[in-house]
Amino acid sequence: MQILQCEDLTKIYKTKKKKIHAVDHISFSINRGELVGLLGPNGAGKTTTIKSLCRLINPTSGSIVIDGTDVIRHPRTAFEKIAAVLEGNRNVYWRMSTKENLRLFAGLQGYSSRQVKTKMDGLIDLFGLRDKINTEARFLSRGMQQKLAIACALIKNTDILFLDEPTLGLDVEATYEVRRLLKEKIASEGKTILLSSHNMGVVEDVCRRVIIINHGKIVADEEIKRIKEFFQVNSYRFEVEGEINAGTQDEFTKRFLGVRFSSDKTRTEITIDLKDSMRIYEVLEILKEKGSKLLSIQNVEPDFEEIYLEMVRHEK
Amino acid sequence: MRNRLVNLFTAIFIKEWISLKRYPFNTISAVVTVYLVFLLFFLGYRLIGGQEAPFSSTTEGFIVGFFIWTYSIAAYSALSWGIVQEARQGTLEQLYMTPLGYERVAIYTVIANFVWSLVWVLPVLVLMMVTTGRFLHFDLITLVPLLILTIASGYGIGFITGGLGLVFKKIQAFFQILQFIFVGFIVAPADTIPLLKILPFSLGTRMIARNMIEKLPIYQMPAFDILVLVVNAVFYLLVGFFVFKLCEKVAKDRGLLGHY
């Protein structure tokens, strides 16, 4: 059952010299409980799309319906259903503590502190903020601030959560923690999530479906699994003894797409995306010609990042 | 619905208190700065041979004028700087996403600010009275409504500048200049030139002075003046809010609500 329908959404910014189509006639819908990634390079139109869905930007044309409510005409009714974390840690009050922020955001939705006490306790524990309950947000680590921003959105108890670049600027550990929370805890509550990111790893890890956007247009809207199938990319990793010289590397790069090398002094790994698995023999032929001793061949998961870049390149 | 509004008001009221509490340096420096400016004017005027006080025929009149000026700056800054600050922090967009309406958030912010401003405006008033040795009459039944109606125009101007600040990012220098233009409004002789009653603060300051100095209660003041003061307050608030909504539309068209 669809909870969000976006039809022909367009946002044009007019400057003195030109018109910029930040979002160009995009349409998509999201089912209740679905986790959808909005993926695209910087400047693709992700933030404009999300802010238009939140009615923080006036779209030039198009319609947005959230759970039967026209967002353009009745934004307040729609705000009963949606919460958003925009631009990460900038969403919370830095001079207010964890608890004060959570209470304020509950109040903005019309809830009293008493009404949300149980939920607030649950969120504080879920996000590991118990020790920082009275700490001002400005003294929290960036990862903690980000988690607090998400908790503040969740305390509003809405059906839909928009997350704009939720892991931007976080270190590896904090990124992993946020991803884990989104995937394992929040998604299991049946929330509908639209998560924008330019980071393929985050989207691939958290979402089942991805909308790829570039230059304000939708390039693809598919389940991640199906996109991988569509491209029918098979990635193979060839492990050879010792290092391989620059000439050999050039030869691989010229003949195959999506070639990656990694090596230490004792061994080299060559990972190649092959649409036609018969070309594996071509790889072996080159290795034989160059006298490289093959140690192993592995079939590896296709790299979603490569697929995404390929799609964006085609769009250009 | 009523409970939800009470909850929203409570949240905003506490938020404003926390912001006052968590910026103690700002609060204390505001008190000190305003008091020093007062001393500069008052003692400076005396040094150059002035008899009573600058901008007024009496010291008491000067204290009242300065008190209104301080309060008006507090009111106006809460909206002008406040809105710009929220946009800069990225929290303005969150305030906009309340299902109870940003308009209510803004009105509740005004009420909370009016109350919490007393925390630092009253000490300034007491300091001024102690320094000059002139103690003013405090009749809260008259003073509070007159103060609300007088300061309302400051909130109206705050809405205008806050809205313009969302759209034109370089307008902030003007915010400070405007504070000094307020002095002109406050000292404008509304009692001798009736047309000046339409200016912000002007008539209200005169009426507050009559209460605090001459002990004239509100029910003995001319009904016409009270009417003009009410119309003045409503007019500036409505115009301020209208201009703010226009600026908000432009900001939403240009995607500026969270941009700084």
Side-chain angles (χ1 to χ4, degrees):
Chain A
M1 187 188 158
Q2 288 179 351
I3 193 167
L4 187 154
Q5 293 136 299
C6 170
E7 283 290 328
D8 215 21
L9 185 70
T10 301
K11 179 64 193 174
I12 301 168
Y13 290 113
K14 289 175 191 163
T15 63
K16 281 177 190 167
K17 289 179 186 168
K18 57 179 178 176
K19 287 181 178 177
I20 300 161
H21 286 71
V23 176
D24 199 356
H25 299 282
I26 65 169
S27 299
F28 63 90
S29 58
I30 297 177
N31 290 326
R32 195 177 284 277
E34 209 177 1
L35 275 84
V36 180
L38 187 62
L39 188 65
N42 289 332
K46 304 185 296 291
T47 299
T48 306
T49 302
I50 287 191
K51 288 192 176 179
S52 299
L53 296 177
C54 297
R55 194 57 165 79
L56 296 168
I57 286 177
N58 291 334
T60 308
S61 63
S63 76
I64 303 157
V65 176
I66 286 178
D67 206 15
T69 301
D70 183 333
V71 179
I72 314 285
R73 285 188 180 178
H74 307 289
R76 284 191 203 172
T77 314
F79 293 152
E80 301 279 7
K81 312 277 178 182
I82 57 177
V85 178
L86 309 160
E87 299 172 67
N89 60 347
R90 284 182 77 231
N91 273 208
V92 292
Y93 286 86
W94 283 39
R95 294 270 178 165
M96 291 172 81
S97 71
T98 299
K99 194 164 67 180
E100 288 161 350
N101 266 297
L102 285 166
R103 282 180 174 169
L104 172 65
F105 279 80
L108 288 176
Q109 207 70 3
Y111 296 122
S112 68
S113 301
R114 205 158 13 126
Q115 281 172 311
V116 293
K117 194 185 176 308
T118 314
K119 184 157 184 77
M120 192 164 90
D121 281 341
L123 286 170
I124 286 169
D125 289 332
L126 175 64
F127 284 88
L129 293 164
R130 181 64 61 192
D131 295 342
K132 308 284 181 189
I133 198 164
N134 293 315
T135 306
E136 285 176 44
R138 64 188 167 132
F139 296 125
L140 297 176
S141 67
R142 175 130 192 177
M144 285 274 194
Q145 288 169 344
Q146 190 72 29
K147 286 196 281 182
L148 174 59
I150 298 172
C152 285
L154 288 172
I155 203 150
K156 292 180 165 186
N157 209 17
T158 57
D159 295 335
I160 303 177
L161 185 60
F162 295 130
L163 299 165
D164 190 15
E165 300 279 5
T167 57
L168 190 68
L170 299 188
D171 60 31
V172 177
E173 200 182 337
T175 301
Y176 177 77
E177 176 72 2
V178 169
R179 278 157 68 161
R180 186 187 65 78
L181 283 165
L182 290 174
K183 197 167 60 169
E184 293 173 14
K185 303 288 181 185
I186 299 160
S188 65
E189 284 183 11
K191 284 220 180 290
T192 307
I193 298 178
L194 178 64
L195 178 153
S196 90
S197 181
H198 66 278
N199 183 324
M200 292 62 66
V202 175
V203 172
E204 189 179 13
D205 192 23
V206 178
C207 307
R208 277 180 226 111
R209 179 182 145 205
V210 63
I211 297 168
I212 299 178
I213 183 170
N214 195 31
H215 297 304
K217 289 183 177 167
I218 291 179
V219 179
D221 179 356
E222 279 290 349
E223 282 191 17
I224 291 174
K225 208 173 85 184
R226 287 199 60 191
I227 285 185
K228 286 178 177 174
E229 283 169 6
F230 177 76
F231 273 76
Q232 291 179 331
V233 173
N234 276 309
S235 286
Y236 291 92
R237 186 178 297 141
F238 302 85
E239 190 185 8
V240 296
E241 197 175 72
E243 289 179 291
I244 57 168
N245 59 35
T248 311
Q249 287 194 14
D250 279 350
E251 179 135 13
F252 275 115
T253 320
K254 272 182 204 158
R255 288 176 64 172
F256 301 97
L257 283 171
V259 185
R260 280 94 68 200
F261 300 97
S262 75
S263 68
D264 56 36
K265 282 182 182 167
T266 57
R267 50 188 268 288
T268 301
E269 279 181 5
I270 310 159
T271 309
I272 307 177
D273 297 333
L274 297 173
K275 283 186 185 174
D276 177 4
S277 57
M278 293 304 283
R279 293 192 73 195
I280 204 168
Y281 296 109
E282 271 182 65
V283 178
L284 294 175
E285 198 61 39
I286 297 169
L287 291 174
K288 189 180 166 191
E289 264 175 37
K290 304 291 177 186
S292 298
K293 188 179 172 187
L294 185 67
L295 298 174
S296 68
I297 306 176
Q298 263 183 302
N299 186 205
V300 292
E301 271 278 292
D303 188 342
F304 184 58
E305 179 164 353
E306 279 300 318
I307 295 172
Y308 156 71
L309 289 173
E310 189 73 11
M311 284 181 133
V312 172
R313 267 199 297 270
H314 275 298
E315 220 280 325
K316 276 178 183 169
Chain B
M1 184 66 178
R2 204 170 139 235
N3 282 348
R4 293 185 75 188
L5 295 182
V6 171
N7 294 336
L8 176 67
F9 178 75
T10 310
I12 298 293
F13 199 70
I14 293 171
K15 168 181 168 279
E16 289 299 306
W17 165 241
I18 292 169
S19 115
L20 190 77
K21 194 173 68 170
R22 293 281 154 75
Y23 290 91
F25 183 75
N26 287 13
T27 311
I28 293 165
S29 68
V31 173
V32 173
T33 310
V34 171
Y35 180 61
L36 286 178
V37 173
F38 171 78
L39 280 184
L40 194 76
F41 273 111
F42 187 70
L43 298 178
Y45 184 77
R46 289 275 170 99
L47 271 176
I48 58 166
Q51 291 302 307
E52 266 288 346
F55 309 124
S56 176
S57 55
T58 63
T59 302
E60 287 88 345
F62 180 59
I63 295 174
V64 171
F66 211 89
F67 168 59
I68 300 299
W69 185 57
T70 311
Y71 218 135
S72 67
I73 291 173
Y76 148 82
S77 306
L79 287 179
S80 55
W81 290 107
I83 290 167
V84 168
Q85 183 74 10
E86 295 265 7
R88 190 180 287 151
Q89 284 172 184
T91 46
L92 186 67
E93 291 176 322
Q94 292 296 332
L95 297 182
Y96 262 95
M97 286 184 68
T98 170
L100 302 169
Y102 178 75
E103 291 78 4
R104 285 202 178 95
V105 171
I107 291 163
Y108 294 167
T109 302
V110 164
I111 297 169
N113 173 265
F114 184 83
V115 174
W116 293 127
S117 292
L118 285 172
V119 170
W120 70 276
V121 173
L122 274 186
V124 173
L125 180 62
V126 172
L127 275 173
M128 289 191 293
M129 290 194 294
V130 170
T131 307
T132 56
R134 309 286 174 91
F135 290 89
L136 300 169
H137 173 66
F138 271 89
D139 162 15
L140 291 181
I141 293 168
T142 297
L143 188 59
V144 171
L146 288 182
L147 208 49
I148 291 172
L149 293 169
T150 306
I151 299 303
S153 49
Y155 288 112
I157 297 169
F159 271 124
I160 294 172
T161 47
L164 292 173
L166 281 181
V167 179
F168 308 103
K169 308 297 178 190
K170 289 177 181 168
I171 202 172
Q172 289 168 31
F174 176 69
F175 286 7
Q176 278 166 336
I177 295 168
L178 202 59
Q179 296 176 7
F180 295 98
I181 296 176
F182 284 3
V183 177
F185 295 150
I186 288 166
V187 301
D191 29 13
T192 50
I193 308 170
L195 198 62
L196 295 180
K197 288 177 182 175
I198 60 169
L199 289 176
F201 315 121
S202 185
L203 175 63
T205 306
R206 293 290 167 289
M207 292 169 80
I208 289 170
R210 291 198 72 188
N211 172 252
M212 294 184 90
I213 301 167
E214 297 166 24
K215 300 181 183 174
L216 187 72
I218 193 164
Y219 55 85
Q220 286 181 12
M221 289 181 182
F224 180 72
D225 278 359
I226 295 173
L227 182 70
V228 171
L229 190 63
V230 171
V231 171
N232 182 298
V234 172
F235 172 78
Y236 281 103
L237 271 179
L238 286 181
V239 168
F241 207 69
F242 178 72
V243 173
F244 180 78
K245 292 300 281 181
L246 280 181
C247 293
E248 174 197 296
K249 189 190 172 300
V250 176
K252 281 187 173 182
D253 283 344
R254 296 185 193 170
L256 297 172
L257 276 191
H259 267 248
Y260 240 94

